[in-house]
Amino acid sequence: MAEYNSDEERFAAVINFFKDYKIIILSTLAMALISLISVISFQSYMETRNSEAAIIYDSWLTALESNNGGAKEMFDELQDTFSGTGYAKLAMMVNGSNFARQGDLAEALENFRQLSDDTSGYFGNDVLNSVAKINIARIELSNKNFTNVLEVLDSFASNKEHSMVYEIKGDALLGLKKEELAKEQYELAIENARNESQKSILNIKINSIEL
């Protein structure tokens, strides 16, 4: 380690160091400044997009509730222009649920599949992704596509999921004539059930297998 006999020598050493490495130092500072500006600009951009999406989303919900025209155009704008926002994803979930209630399972399935794609991955939304998959599985179950049900719910691998996940798996396995595996899923559903009425329904399903 270099030793300096006076403050002048120390100051000269600092000056020489800056002269020798000034390009690296200035480049590093410039990159840091550009990165900071980029982050701030992106955050401001996203806040603006979310604010605009929120206005359209609220207007869309109002149009749905009042059955006024323009709801489809607002939904399309959310999906096309503000596809990366949470409001676009919420609108997709609501839209899929509305189609399901109306009995249009094909349209409902399309919406939930799109929601599943949009909310998957590192920057996705686990909650909405789970909701999408469960709804896809329920529709596929009603269509008797039992293998599809199990494929959709394959990502729910732990023993501490919502009881509905295990119940749907059990129903699909029962549809595939795999009674013992279905019973195991119903038992997991009972372990995770939150009320007695749900447990009673699951016990009825188990007893029907054992008969």
Side-chain angles (χ1 to χ4, degrees):
M1 181 176 179
E3 294 184 1
Y4 304 102
N5 297 321
S6 66
D7 291 338
E8 288 78 6
E9 290 181 354
R10 294 188 184 92
F11 182 74
V14 171
I15 295 299
N16 289 332
F17 177 83
F18 182 78
K19 286 180 178 179
D20 293 338
Y21 296 98
K22 65 179 179 180
I23 294 177
I24 296 175
I25 293 172
L26 291 174
S27 297
T28 302
L29 290 174
M31 290 178 64
L33 181 60
I34 291 171
S35 297
L36 180 61
I37 293 173
S38 297
V39 169
I40 294 173
S41 298
F42 179 75
Q43 289 177 340
S44 176
Y45 169 73
M46 289 305 297
E47 287 175 2
T48 301
R49 277 176 58 82
N50 282 326
S51 297
E52 293 174 353
I55 294 172
I56 298 172
Y57 178 79
D58 289 341
S59 299
W60 175 69
L61 286 181
T62 301
L64 283 180
E65 293 170 359
S66 60
N67 292 319
N68 289 335
K72 185 180 184 306
E73 289 75 11
M74 294 177 200
F75 176 80
D76 290 342
E77 185 177 1
L78 276 172
Q79 303 309 317
D80 295 339
T81 308
F82 301 97
S83 59
T85 66
Y87 292 101
K89 295 169 185 175
L90 284 174
M92 186 71 72
M93 183 182 71
V94 173
N95 210 42
S97 299
N98 286 340
F99 278 123
R101 279 194 296 270
Q102 295 165 10
D104 192 342
L105 298 185
E107 285 292 336
L109 190 58
E110 182 178 341
N111 276 261
F112 287 125
R113 281 176 175 165
Q114 185 63 55
L115 179 62
S116 177
D117 291 341
D118 290 347
T119 56
S120 63
Y122 185 78
F123 294 104
N125 184 302
D126 291 339
V127 174
L128 289 180
N129 189 257
S130 296
V131 170
K133 288 181 177 179
I134 289 173
N135 279 285
I136 291 170
R138 292 174 65 183
I139 294 171
E140 294 285 24
L141 184 65
S142 69
N143 290 333
K144 301 187 184 303
N145 296 324
F146 304 122
T147 301
N148 291 352
V149 173
L150 298 177
E151 289 176 355
V152 169
L153 298 181
D154 184 60
S155 61
F156 296 94
S158 75
N159 291 336
K160 293 297 180 183
E161 304 291 351
H162 193 286
S163 61
M164 184 183 296
V165 172
Y166 304 112
E167 184 175 1
I168 296 173
K169 282 185 177 181
D171 291 344
L173 288 165
L174 196 59
L176 293 171
K177 309 300 181 184
K178 297 180 180 181
E179 286 83 1
E180 288 301 317
L181 293 176
K183 182 180 176 182
E184 291 177 7
Q185 293 300 312
Y186 290 145
E187 288 172 347
L188 283 171
I190 290 174
E191 291 177 12
N192 291 275
R194 298 178 181 177
N195 58 68
E196 293 302 319
S197 61
Q198 188 177 11
K199 291 181 181 179
S200 298
I201 293 172
L202 291 164
N203 278 315
I204 291 172
K205 291 185 177 184
I206 291 175
N207 291 335
S208 69
I209 294 175
E210 295 175 345
L211 291 177

